[in-house]
Amino acid sequence: MRDLSYAEKSPSTFDYPLSSRFDESDSLVVFDDVFIPWSHIFVYKNIDIVRAQFHETPAHVLGNNQAQIRFSNKLKFLIGAARKVTAMNGIDKIPSVQEKLGELASIAASVEGNLLASEYNCTIDKNGVARPDPRFLYGV
């Protein structure tokens, strides 16, 4: 097994703040010549079971929850970068620029608010798994 990052040779974390930290979207794990015994195979060539394990278990909602957490944090990062760029260029006092920055901040707050609401309004299933409320989670 070998970890590969698209930015593993990047000069600094300042230049590549996300990809140098093995962000999920730009990392890859390669398993070469691996034996997996049949006793460890859950599903093989059965589309109905594959569909069921994704939608009839918490997998779908928990996967989306994780994706929304990442999305929310990246939005905040990008808004911070936009704010710094406008300040460095001296255009952060222009009303139309302030309006766009405010609009971006509003979008980020809505995404984060829906995410927090989905977690606050979670349900505990029969196996003790906390499932975020899809009403708020998919409303993002």
Side-chain angles (χ1 to χ4, degrees):
M1 180 176 79
R2 183 169 109 75
D3 291 330
L4 304 169
S5 170
Y6 296 132
E8 71 180 333
K9 299 203 185 327
S10 62
S12 73
T13 57
F14 180 80
D15 293 328
Y16 298 89
L18 298 177
S19 57
S20 63
R21 290 182 173 87
F22 280 102
D23 186 59
E24 180 181 343
S25 63
D26 65 6
S27 62
L28 177 67
V29 178
V30 177
F31 295 94
D32 194 16
D33 194 26
V34 176
F35 172 77
I36 301 172
W38 278 106
S39 61
H40 289 91
I41 305 296
F42 299 115
V43 179
Y44 182 70
K45 293 186 179 182
N46 189 326
I47 294 171
D48 292 332
I49 291 178
V50 170
R51 187 179 301 116
Q53 75 179 2
F54 194 61
H55 291 287
E56 294 176 19
T57 69
H60 195 269
V61 73
L62 292 175
N64 195 306
N65 180 256
Q66 181 266 349
Q68 294 302 329
I69 291 169
R70 291 178 67 241
F71 179 55
S72 178
N73 283 298
K74 286 184 179 187
L75 270 177
K76 290 188 251 181
F77 172 80
L78 290 172
I79 292 166
R83 172 69 177 96
K84 285 287 188 186
V85 167
T86 60
M88 286 172 47
N89 289 331
I91 60 172
D92 57 335
K93 303 293 186 255
I94 299 172
S96 61
V97 173
Q98 289 178 337
E99 177 189 5
K100 287 299 177 192
L101 290 173
E103 188 177 331
L104 290 171
S106 175
I107 292 168
S110 294
V111 169
E112 185 177 23
N114 278 359
L115 176 62
L116 293 172
S118 75
E119 293 171 350
Y120 177 79
N121 205 37
C122 72
T123 56
I124 308 297
D125 70 12
K126 64 182 180 186
N127 297 314
V129 176
R131 294 182 184 216
D133 188 339
R135 175 179 168 221
F136 298 106
L137 194 60
Y138 296 120
V140 178

